[in-house]
Amino acid sequence: MKTIQIALVDDHRLFRSGIASLINNFIGYKVIFEASNGDEMISKIKPDFRPDIILLDINMPGMNGINTARGLKTAYPQIQVIVLSMFDDADKVLAMLKLGVKGYLLKDSEPIEFERALQKVSQGELYYPEFVTRLLLDSINNPVEFDKLNSREVEFLKLVATELTYKEIADQMRISVRTVDGYRDQLFEKLHVKSRVGLVLYAIKNKLTEL
Protein backbone atom coordinates (compact mmCIF):
# COMPACT_ATOMS: atom_id res chain seq x y z
CA MET A 1 0.00 0.00 0.00
CA LYS A 2 1.34 3.42 -0.95
CA THR A 3 2.33 5.67 1.94
CA ILE A 4 0.45 8.96 1.76
CA GLN A 5 2.90 11.84 2.09
CA ILE A 6 1.85 14.77 4.25
CA ALA A 7 3.13 18.35 4.71
CA LEU A 8 2.29 20.52 7.72
CA VAL A 9 2.07 24.29 7.30
CA ASP A 10 1.55 26.16 10.57
CA ASP A 11 3.47 28.91 12.35
CA HIS A 12 3.34 27.25 15.79
CA ARG A 13 6.31 24.90 16.05
CA LEU A 14 5.08 22.95 19.07
CA PHE A 15 1.69 22.36 17.45
CA ARG A 16 3.39 21.17 14.24
CA SER A 17 5.62 18.84 16.20
CA GLY A 18 2.67 17.31 18.03
CA ILE A 19 0.61 16.81 14.87
CA ALA A 20 3.60 15.39 12.99
CA SER A 21 4.16 12.85 15.76
CA LEU A 22 0.46 11.96 15.71
CA ILE A 23 0.32 11.48 11.93
CA ASN A 24 3.55 9.47 11.77
CA ASN A 25 1.90 6.96 14.12
CA PHE A 26 -1.00 6.47 11.70
CA ILE A 27 -0.50 3.46 9.42
CA GLY A 28 0.07 4.51 5.80
CA TYR A 29 0.87 8.20 6.42
CA LYS A 30 4.17 10.05 6.72
CA VAL A 31 5.01 13.73 7.28
CA ILE A 32 7.71 14.59 4.74
CA PHE A 33 8.21 18.23 5.74
CA GLU A 34 6.96 21.09 7.89
CA ALA A 35 6.76 24.83 7.12
CA SER A 36 5.85 27.92 9.14
CA ASN A 37 4.03 29.74 6.31
CA GLY A 38 3.15 29.57 2.64
CA ASP A 39 6.42 31.05 1.42
CA GLU A 40 8.49 28.42 3.23
CA MET A 41 6.20 25.67 1.98
CA ILE A 42 6.55 26.75 -1.65
CA SER A 43 10.35 26.76 -1.32
CA LYS A 44 10.28 23.12 -0.22
CA ILE A 45 7.96 21.71 -2.89
CA LYS A 46 9.69 20.42 -6.03
CA PRO A 47 8.28 18.64 -9.10
CA ASP A 48 9.79 15.37 -7.82
CA PHE A 49 9.21 16.10 -4.13
CA ARG A 50 5.70 17.10 -3.24
CA PRO A 51 3.14 15.92 -0.68
CA ASP A 52 -0.14 14.22 -1.48
CA ILE A 53 -1.93 16.21 1.23
CA ILE A 54 -1.14 19.51 2.93
CA LEU A 55 -2.52 20.37 6.36
CA LEU A 56 -2.73 24.14 6.12
CA ASP A 57 -3.27 26.72 8.85
CA ILE A 58 -5.37 29.76 7.89
CA ASN A 59 -3.78 32.43 10.07
CA MET A 60 -0.02 32.68 9.53
CA PRO A 61 2.51 35.51 9.14
CA GLY A 62 3.77 36.13 5.63
CA MET A 63 1.73 34.18 3.11
CA ASN A 64 -1.44 33.16 4.96
CA GLY A 65 -3.57 30.08 4.38
CA ILE A 66 -5.99 31.65 1.91
CA ASN A 67 -3.25 32.99 -0.36
CA THR A 68 -1.32 29.74 -0.03
CA ALA A 69 -4.36 27.67 -1.04
CA ARG A 70 -4.93 29.98 -3.98
CA GLY A 71 -1.34 29.49 -5.14
CA LEU A 72 -1.53 25.72 -4.71
CA LYS A 73 -4.71 25.52 -6.76
CA THR A 74 -2.88 27.12 -9.67
CA ALA A 75 0.59 25.55 -9.38
CA TYR A 76 -0.17 22.12 -7.89
CA PRO A 77 -3.87 21.30 -8.35
CA GLN A 78 -3.17 17.62 -7.68
CA ILE A 79 -2.17 18.34 -4.07
CA GLN A 80 -5.14 18.02 -1.71
CA VAL A 81 -5.56 20.58 1.09
CA ILE A 82 -7.05 20.13 4.55
CA VAL A 83 -7.53 23.39 6.45
CA LEU A 84 -6.48 23.76 10.09
CA SER A 85 -8.13 26.46 12.19
CA MET A 86 -8.61 27.51 15.81
CA PHE A 87 -12.28 28.35 15.30
CA ASP A 88 -14.93 28.39 12.59
CA ASP A 89 -14.68 31.90 11.13
CA ALA A 90 -17.47 31.86 8.54
CA ASP A 91 -15.86 34.22 6.03
CA LYS A 92 -12.56 32.35 6.02
CA VAL A 93 -14.23 28.94 5.88
CA LEU A 94 -16.20 29.93 2.80
CA ALA A 95 -13.16 31.53 1.16
CA MET A 96 -11.20 28.29 1.59
CA LEU A 97 -14.09 26.15 0.32
CA LYS A 98 -14.30 28.29 -2.82
CA LEU A 99 -10.63 27.50 -3.41
CA GLY A 100 -11.43 23.81 -3.46
CA VAL A 101 -9.99 22.59 -0.16
CA LYS A 102 -10.97 18.98 0.51
CA GLY A 103 -11.20 19.02 4.28
CA TYR A 104 -11.50 21.24 7.34
CA LEU A 105 -10.30 20.48 10.88
CA LEU A 106 -10.39 22.47 14.08
CA LYS A 107 -6.99 22.34 15.76
CA ASP A 108 -8.47 20.89 18.94
CA SER A 109 -10.10 18.00 17.09
CA GLU A 110 -9.64 14.51 18.53
CA PRO A 111 -6.84 12.36 16.99
CA ILE A 112 -9.42 10.06 15.43
CA GLU A 113 -10.82 13.02 13.47
CA PHE A 114 -7.38 13.79 12.04
CA GLU A 115 -7.04 10.18 10.92
CA ARG A 116 -10.56 10.11 9.49
CA ALA A 117 -9.95 13.34 7.56
CA LEU A 118 -6.71 11.98 6.08
CA GLN A 119 -8.42 8.73 5.10
CA LYS A 120 -11.34 10.48 3.41
CA VAL A 121 -9.24 13.01 1.50
CA SER A 122 -6.60 10.47 0.42
CA GLN A 123 -9.45 8.40 -1.07
CA GLY A 124 -10.71 11.35 -3.10
CA GLU A 125 -13.55 12.21 -0.74
CA LEU A 126 -14.34 15.34 1.28
CA TYR A 127 -14.11 15.78 5.04
CA TYR A 128 -16.20 18.65 6.37
CA PRO A 129 -17.33 18.64 10.01
CA GLU A 130 -20.93 19.43 10.90
CA PHE A 131 -20.27 23.14 11.50
CA VAL A 132 -18.95 23.57 7.94
CA THR A 133 -22.10 22.02 6.53
CA ARG A 134 -24.12 24.42 8.70
CA LEU A 135 -22.18 27.41 7.39
CA LEU A 136 -22.75 26.30 3.81
CA LEU A 137 -26.49 26.00 4.44
CA ASP A 138 -26.54 29.40 6.13
CA SER A 139 -24.77 30.98 3.17
CA ILE A 140 -27.37 29.52 0.80
CA ASN A 141 -30.41 30.35 2.92
CA ASN A 142 -29.25 33.80 4.10
CA PRO A 143 -26.91 35.20 1.44
CA VAL A 144 -27.41 38.84 2.43
CA GLU A 145 -27.06 38.50 6.20
CA PHE A 146 -24.33 35.86 6.14
CA ASP A 147 -21.48 38.36 6.17
CA LYS A 148 -22.61 39.47 9.66
CA LEU A 149 -23.07 36.55 12.07
CA ASN A 150 -23.24 32.82 11.46
CA SER A 151 -25.37 30.37 13.42
CA ARG A 152 -22.60 29.36 15.83
CA GLU A 153 -21.79 32.99 16.60
CA VAL A 154 -25.47 33.63 17.34
CA GLU A 155 -25.55 30.56 19.59
CA PHE A 156 -22.43 31.81 21.40
CA LEU A 157 -23.95 35.29 21.86
CA LYS A 158 -27.11 33.85 23.38
CA LEU A 159 -25.04 31.87 25.87
CA VAL A 160 -22.81 34.84 26.68
CA ALA A 161 -25.93 36.70 27.79
CA THR A 162 -26.57 34.07 30.49
CA GLU A 163 -24.79 33.50 33.80
CA LEU A 164 -22.74 30.64 32.35
CA THR A 165 -18.95 30.88 32.59
CA TYR A 166 -16.89 30.59 29.39
CA LYS A 167 -15.98 27.04 30.47
CA GLU A 168 -19.66 26.15 30.85
CA ILE A 169 -20.40 27.74 27.46
CA ALA A 170 -17.67 25.60 25.93
CA ASP A 171 -19.21 22.48 27.46
CA GLN A 172 -22.69 23.36 26.22
CA MET A 173 -21.44 24.08 22.68
CA ARG A 174 -19.26 20.94 22.81
CA ILE A 175 -16.10 22.82 21.94
CA SER A 176 -12.91 23.66 23.81
CA VAL A 177 -12.39 26.75 25.97
CA ARG A 178 -9.74 27.86 23.46
CA THR A 179 -12.33 27.76 20.68
CA VAL A 180 -14.71 29.80 22.85
CA ASP A 181 -11.92 32.36 23.28
CA GLY A 182 -11.67 32.46 19.51
CA TYR A 183 -15.39 33.18 19.15
CA ARG A 184 -15.19 35.90 21.77
CA ASP A 185 -12.21 37.66 20.19
CA GLN A 186 -13.71 37.30 16.72
CA LEU A 187 -16.96 38.92 17.87
CA PHE A 188 -15.11 41.68 19.71
CA GLU A 189 -13.57 42.63 16.38
CA LYS A 190 -16.65 42.04 14.24
CA LEU A 191 -19.08 43.90 16.53
CA HIS A 192 -16.61 46.59 17.65
CA VAL A 193 -17.01 45.87 21.36
CA LYS A 194 -14.36 45.33 24.03
CA SER A 195 -15.97 43.23 26.76
CA ARG A 196 -18.55 40.58 27.59
CA VAL A 197 -20.88 43.38 28.64
CA GLY A 198 -20.65 44.78 25.11
CA LEU A 199 -21.55 41.37 23.68
CA VAL A 200 -24.54 41.10 26.03
CA LEU A 201 -25.77 44.56 25.07
CA TYR A 202 -25.51 43.64 21.39
CA ALA A 203 -27.50 40.45 22.05
CA ILE A 204 -30.22 42.42 23.87
CA LYS A 205 -30.36 45.14 21.23
CA ASN A 206 -30.80 42.58 18.47
CA LYS A 207 -33.36 40.57 20.45
CA LEU A 208 -31.16 37.49 20.76
CA THR A 209 -31.96 37.50 24.46
CA GLU A 210 -34.22 39.33 26.91
CA LEU A 211 -33.59 41.04 30.25
Side-chain angles (χ1 to χ4, degrees), residues 73-131:
K73 183 178 181 181
T74 300
Y76 298 101
Q78 67 273 46
I79 297 177
Q80 310 300 337
V81 175
I82 297 176
V83 172
L84 295 173
S85 178
M86 281 303 302
F87 50 92
D88 42 336
D89 181 317
D91 296 335
K92 291 178 180 176
V93 171
L94 286 179
M96 295 299 271
L97 295 183
K98 288 177 182 177
L99 291 171
V101 301
K102 302 302 181 183
Y104 198 104
L105 280 167
L106 290 175
K107 288 187 177 182
D108 58 1
S109 296
E110 295 294 329
I112 192 172
E113 289 189 63
F114 275 85
E115 186 170 20
R116 187 178 298 123
L118 291 173
Q119 288 173 345
K120 289 278 189 182
V121 172
S122 65
Q123 292 168 3
E125 300 178 40
L126 302 174
Y127 184 81
Y128 296 148
E130 181 185 346
F131 80 84

Side-chain angles (χ1 to χ4, degrees), residues 49-69:
F49 180 75
R50 61 187 181 213
D52 299 301
I53 298 173
I54 292 176
L55 292 178
L56 180 65
D57 187 16
I58 291 182
N59 297 306
M60 300 178 291
M63 185 183 289
N64 64 25
I66 293 175
N67 290 334
T68 301

Side-chain angles (χ1 to χ4, degrees), residues 94-170:
L94 286 179
M96 295 299 271
L97 295 183
K98 288 177 182 177
L99 291 171
V101 301
K102 302 302 181 183
Y104 198 104
L105 280 167
L106 290 175
K107 288 187 177 182
D108 58 1
S109 296
E110 295 294 329
I112 192 172
E113 289 189 63
F114 275 85
E115 186 170 20
R116 187 178 298 123
L118 291 173
Q119 288 173 345
K120 289 278 189 182
V121 172
S122 65
Q123 292 168 3
E125 300 178 40
L126 302 174
Y127 184 81
Y128 296 148
E130 181 185 346
F131 80 84
V132 173
T133 304
R134 264 199 315 272
L135 292 179
L136 287 171
L137 290 173
D138 282 350
S139 68
I140 294 170
N141 296 329
N142 305 292
V144 176
E145 297 297 322
F146 188 67
D147 62 339
K148 296 181 180 178
L149 299 180
N150 61 59
S151 59
R152 290 290 269 177
E153 289 171 333
V154 170
E155 180 183 358
F156 174 73
L157 271 176
K158 289 179 179 178
L159 293 171
V160 162
T162 68
E163 295 184 354
L164 294 176
T165 65
Y166 283 129
K167 173 64 169 65
E168 290 168 336
I169 291 174

